[in-house]
Amino acid sequence: LTVEVLVTREQNADGMVTISCRALALRKSWEKVEQLAKDGAVNKVKINGFNRGGVTCDLEGLRAFIPRSQLEDGANHESLVGKTISAAFLEINPERRKLVLSEKKAVISSRFSQLEIGQLIEGKVLAIKPYGFFIDLSGVSGLLHHSMVTNGSLRSLREVFQQGDSIKALITDLDPGRGRIGLNTALLEGPPGEIITDKQKVMEEAEERAIRARNSLNQDKTKQHLQESSEDKEKNLEEKG
């Protein structure tokens, strides 16, 4: 029988080398979870234990821990034993044999996978800050910055939306790594300031207006790509010259 092993101790005085199948398997497991984390994978794990701080599970042959603060139902975490949940990676440290997962991060990752730039979304105003609105998007929140509300002047953000209002907006910025979603309603307007004078019309025609806005965004991307390609060509010619 031929097996792969890892040398764990060099040759001793008797000429014996210590090898291990288990150590090699562990190394491969850590390499696998590091690759999964790099790919942004969300994993299905079965909870097999709990303590005061959270719950435990196994992933790729490694013991993993999920803190209560990273569970959707942290208050009743002991009831999760035997259940399967989705979890994303929070911390990986092979040297300390520390593998920490997060159910909350998995929920966010799953939601982000359903979103894309140029997409029209509908949500509710969670909070109003001096710099803009936080919008609930079913599990994640997006920021509608005041500069993205209208090209006209705003005396107060509250003259456009109130807390609890349902709104439609375009996604113009998406950063899953930092958990950021940038929203825009200005692109849904006709004349600047229309959302202040006739908000209902803007919201009712949002689907149709979003199509025009997406075409505009795509044209801007194409122009930017062509400009960058032209600059690269000029730079290459200068270097060759």
Side-chain angles (χ1 to χ4, degrees), residues 66-72 90 100-105:
I66 307 176
R68 287 178 63 178
S69 61
Q70 296 299 320
L71 292 167
E72 289 288 283
L90 199 62
V100 185
L101 307 177
S102 169
E103 183 184 21
K104 287 183 176 180
K105 189 176 178 181

Side-chain angles (χ1 to χ4, degrees), residues 10-172:
E10 293 182 2
Q11 193 175 43
N12 61 17
D14 298 324
M16 298 295 292
V17 175
T18 304
I19 58 177
S20 171
C21 291
R22 173 64 178 161
L24 180 62
L26 284 173
R27 174 186 281 188
K28 288 185 175 181
S29 292
W30 283 111
E31 290 174 350
K32 179 68 180 292
V33 296
E34 285 177 329
Q35 185 59 51
L36 287 172
K38 195 178 291 185
D39 295 339
V42 172
N43 312 278
K44 291 286 186 182
V45 295
K46 187 174 182 179
I47 307 303
N48 54 24
F50 74 95
N51 55 36
R52 188 193 299 181
V55 296
T56 58
C57 60
D58 291 325
L59 179 62
E60 297 294 333
L62 302 172
R63 178 183 170 85
F65 180 69
I66 307 176
R68 287 178 63 178
S69 61
Q70 296 299 320
L71 292 167
E72 289 288 283
D73 188 14
N76 301 302
H77 67 300
E78 65 276 3
S79 65
L80 293 174
V81 175
K83 294 182 180 179
T84 299
I85 64 172
S86 296
F89 295 98
L90 199 62
E91 182 180 354
I92 301 173
N93 191 325
E95 288 75 25
R96 297 176 59 192
R97 295 185 180 181
K98 189 175 183 181
L99 180 58
V100 185
L101 307 177
S102 169
E103 183 184 21
K104 287 183 176 180
K105 189 176 178 181
V107 172
I108 293 173
S109 297
S110 176
R111 185 71 180 102
F112 264 89
S113 68
Q114 301 167 358
L115 304 175
E116 60 182 20
I117 290 179
Q119 181 179 345
L120 181 71
I121 54 85
E122 185 170 0
K124 284 194 174 183
V125 178
L126 274 177
I128 303 174
K129 302 293 182 181
Y131 47 84
F133 305 91
F134 279 102
I135 313 299
D136 177 31
L137 305 175
S138 302
V140 295
S141 64
L143 175 63
L144 176 58
H145 194 268
H146 67 80
S147 62
M148 300 294 172
V149 177
T150 179
N151 293 326
S153 60
L154 281 172
R155 293 190 301 271
S156 168
L157 289 172
R158 295 182 187 275
E159 68 178 318
V160 186
F161 300 114
Q162 301 293 325
Q163 189 168 347
D165 281 359
S166 290
I167 76 164
K168 293 177 182 178
L170 282 171
I171 296 175
T172 51

Side-chain angles (χ1 to χ4, degrees), residues 210-229:
I211 295 172
R212 292 200 299 267
R214 276 194 290 271
N215 290 335
S216 176
L217 284 172
N218 290 333
Q219 288 174 5
D220 290 342
K221 283 182 182 178
T222 302
K223 287 179 182 177
Q224 184 180 355
H225 179 69
L226 291 172
Q227 183 178 350
E228 289 174 351
S229 297

